[in-house]
């Protein structure tokens, strides 16, 4: 919820020219993880699968700003 407010079509644009997509706001720098098909990051199952991998099996969320700034806590 902290990343996308539950919207699987959410897109966030970053100052460095990248974009975050989907429920978990997976960054476009990870295009290789979806064979270059960034649109597939809007599919909830794909998005969560990639986020799970990036978070080292759900053990490291430091790549997400909402984890680092504590915004996720309101949704616990």
């Amino acid at each position: 919820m902290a990343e996308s407010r539950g919207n699987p079509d959410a897109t966030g644009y970053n100052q460095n020219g990248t974009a975050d997509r989907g429920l978990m706001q997976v960054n476009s720098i990870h295009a290789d993880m979806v064979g270059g098909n960034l649109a597939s990051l809007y599919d909830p199952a794909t998005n969560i699968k990639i986020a799970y991998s990036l978070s080292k099996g759900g053990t490291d969320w430091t790549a997400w700003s909402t984890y680092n700034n504590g915004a996720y806590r309101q949704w616990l």
Side-chain angles (χ1 to χ4, degrees), residues 1-3 5 61-76:
M1 289 299 292
E3 287 292 334
R5 298 294 190 256
W61 297 103
T62 56
W64 283 265
S65 62
T66 57
Y67 174 80
N68 294 318
N69 68 21
Y72 74 96
R73 290 185 187 125
Q74 70 178 318
W75 304 103
L76 296 178

Side-chain angles (χ1 to χ4, degrees), residues 21-69:
R21 292 174 166 82
L23 289 173
M24 297 296 295
Q25 293 291 276
V26 174
N27 191 277
S28 57
I29 64 168
H30 303 294
D32 60 319
M33 297 180 80
V34 290
N37 181 8
L38 290 171
S40 69
L41 291 174
Y42 294 113
D43 171 63
T46 300
N47 191 274
I48 290 170
K49 178 182 174 183
I50 300 301
Y52 184 76
S53 178
L54 293 171
S55 68
K56 299 176 181 78
T59 64
D60 180 5
W61 297 103
T62 56
W64 283 265
S65 62
T66 57
Y67 174 80
N68 294 318
N69 68 21

